[in-house]
Amino acid sequence: MVAVVVGGGVIGLLSALNLAKHCDVVLLDSTAVGTEASWAGGGIVSPLYPWRYSDAVTALAQWSQDFYPGLGAQLLETTGIDPEVHSTGLYWLDLDDEAEALAWACAAQKNLRSVDITDVQAQVPALGMGYQRAIHMPGVANVRNPRLVKALRAALLQLPNVSIKEHSPVSGFIRDGQRVVGVQTVSGAIMADQVVLAAGAWSAELLRPLGIELPVEPVKGQMILYKCADDFLPSMVLAKGRYAIPRRDGHILIGSTLEYEGFDKTPTDVALQSLKASAEELLPALADAQVVGHWAGLRPSSPEGIPFIGPLPGFDGLWLNCGHYRNGLVLAPASCQLLADLIQGRTPIIDPAPYAPEGRL
């Protein structure tokens, strides 16, 4: 069997890695693998506000959170590239819905609790003053997503039954009656038994010629990056919708904006100034630090942030794995395992019904 995966972000890469255990795989990307949303995100291995999401998102997140440490270790061993799954914990400051968060944690038996703000300041000395309340979840990790996609690409290149074709945009699907039997690219047709669409924010554009209106659209997010001492920030912190994420080498990510600007990925000075203001409010010492990076990416938004995972009705052989919105990195391991289970006819890791395209289009 041959599977074609359209899209080389973390969803496409992990889909290909899972499918390659049982079939030949061709991975296609319109640019270079892993250079869009998967590269641009922050890499928190948790939804920003897990209590605000449906059970469908939570189920994928929980499975993936348990899976990530082993995935990081396996990729380091097989490729020599460390995705740096970094367990720091996360503090939420001055939440409007703190009571709802704590009630969710109690019901879901999550280790999320209220902590005294003086304890937070002792644990995170760089934190700004003026915050009144905090809740904390220990063990929340972040992954260094640019290294994750590099490691996944390297792992795929080691496999003799996988072919990666970069700068190969797909212009259409090849059909035989009701069945999709391949894709058309700039360099010709590629035939397949199964086609997986994992093109993130561009997925709806690719489906439109089939008469399918997929409710996935791009939402721009901008981030900035600082370089500090390795021990400057021991934990992730989040306040007023903005977060700071520490990497092991002292890089600090600040994000992010939410902008409905279509497919425009241009970083703007307005966003830069807004992110710098948030950074300096959270961590005042950053006022004396230089911004060493500023970029934008496009999230694939979807209704309620629930991804589309499963077969596309009326188009046998065409599968979706897209629409992960702000949670592509945290949901990727579970989403891609679920997709592989469905394609290969195994018992799925979780109930696939909430993600099925049927009835949601």
Side-chain angles (χ1 to χ4, degrees):
M1 187 175 85
V2 176
V4 165
V5 178
V6 181
V10 68
I11 301 294
L13 289 163
L14 265 174
S15 294
L17 197 60
N18 284 336
L19 291 171
K21 296 171 185 175
H22 300 279
C23 67
D24 295 336
V25 177
V26 180
L27 178 71
L28 301 171
D29 197 274
S30 60
T31 57
V33 161
T35 56
E36 294 290 350
S38 299
W39 179 91
I44 301 176
V45 186
S46 170
L48 285 184
Y49 306 96
W51 55 90
R52 297 179 188 175
Y53 282 93
S54 67
D55 290 343
V57 172
T58 300
L60 291 171
Q62 287 180 339
W63 195 95
S64 296
Q65 285 164 334
D66 292 340
F67 189 81
Y68 250 115
L71 175 64
Q74 177 191 354
L75 288 171
L76 174 59
E77 181 181 350
T78 57
T79 70
I81 301 169
D82 188 357
E84 293 188 14
V85 181
H86 185 28
S87 180
T88 66
L90 174 57
Y91 289 100
W92 289 265
L93 308 175
D94 291 353
L95 280 170
D96 291 335
D97 59 349
E98 180 177 311
E100 289 87 342
L102 293 170
W104 169 85
C106 182
Q109 296 183 309
K110 294 294 182 183
N111 187 13
L112 173 70
R113 60 187 181 86
S114 178
V115 291
D116 192 278
I117 196 66
T118 57
D119 293 336
V120 184
Q121 288 161 344
Q123 293 296 320
V124 188
L127 188 68
M129 304 301 291
Y131 296 105
Q132 304 296 318
R133 306 183 320 278
I135 60 175
H136 180 237
M137 184 181 282
V140 180
N142 64 77
V143 62
R144 198 155 184 172
N145 37 303
R147 297 189 180 187
L148 173 65
V149 292
K150 282 183 182 178
L152 289 169
R153 182 181 185 274
L156 287 169
L157 288 174
Q158 292 177 359
L159 301 177
N161 61 326
V162 174
S163 172
I164 296 178
K165 297 182 183 295
E166 297 177 297
H167 306 287
S168 294
V170 168
S171 57
F173 298 96
I174 301 169
R175 297 172 66 185
D176 181 4
Q178 289 292 98
R179 186 166 186 85
V180 172
V181 294
V183 296
Q184 193 69 45
T185 75
V186 289
S187 54
I190 299 177
M191 308 307 288
D193 300 288
Q194 310 291 344
V195 175
V196 175
L197 181 58
W202 289 266
S203 298
E205 302 293 306
L206 289 169
L207 285 180
R208 200 159 283 129
L210 297 179
I212 299 293
E213 287 297 325
L214 181 72
V216 171
E217 62 175 329
V219 179
K220 181 177 176 179
Q222 299 189 49
M223 312 265 298
I224 57 175
L225 181 71
Y226 293 89
K227 179 67 171 73
C228 302
D230 292 1
D231 61 352
F232 173 74
L233 184 62
S235 173
M236 294 182 283
V237 290
L238 189 157
K240 299 181 181 177
R242 296 277 168 85
Y243 51 77
I245 305 171
R247 302 304 198 204
R248 287 178 180 165
D249 63 1
H251 279 98
I252 308 294
L253 280 165
I254 304 292
S256 67
T257 64
L258 279 171
E259 306 168 60
Y260 293 84
E261 302 283 350
F263 287 94
D264 175 22
K265 292 192 301 176
T266 310
T268 64
D269 190 61
V270 170
L272 174 62
Q273 297 309 318
S274 174
L275 289 165
K276 284 179 69 175
S278 294
E280 293 167 19
E281 183 177 3
L282 260 178
L283 305 165
L286 292 181
D288 300 321
Q290 182 181 357
V291 174
V292 297
H294 173 209
W295 62 87
L298 299 176
R299 312 173 184 88
S301 77
S302 58
E304 298 182 76
I306 300 173
F308 294 88
I309 308 169
L312 188 62
F315 298 89
D316 293 345
L318 182 56
W319 302 77
L320 303 186
N321 195 2
C322 54
H324 293 74
Y325 195 23
R326 305 189 75 172
N327 296 310
L329 285 154
V330 61
L331 303 184
S335 298
C336 299
Q337 184 62 57
L338 175 60
L339 178 84
D341 289 344
L342 294 172
I343 289 177
Q344 290 156 6
R346 294 191 302 263
T347 301
I349 52 165
I350 56 175
D351 179 10
Y355 321 101
E358 186 170 13
R360 296 181 63 203
L361 302 180

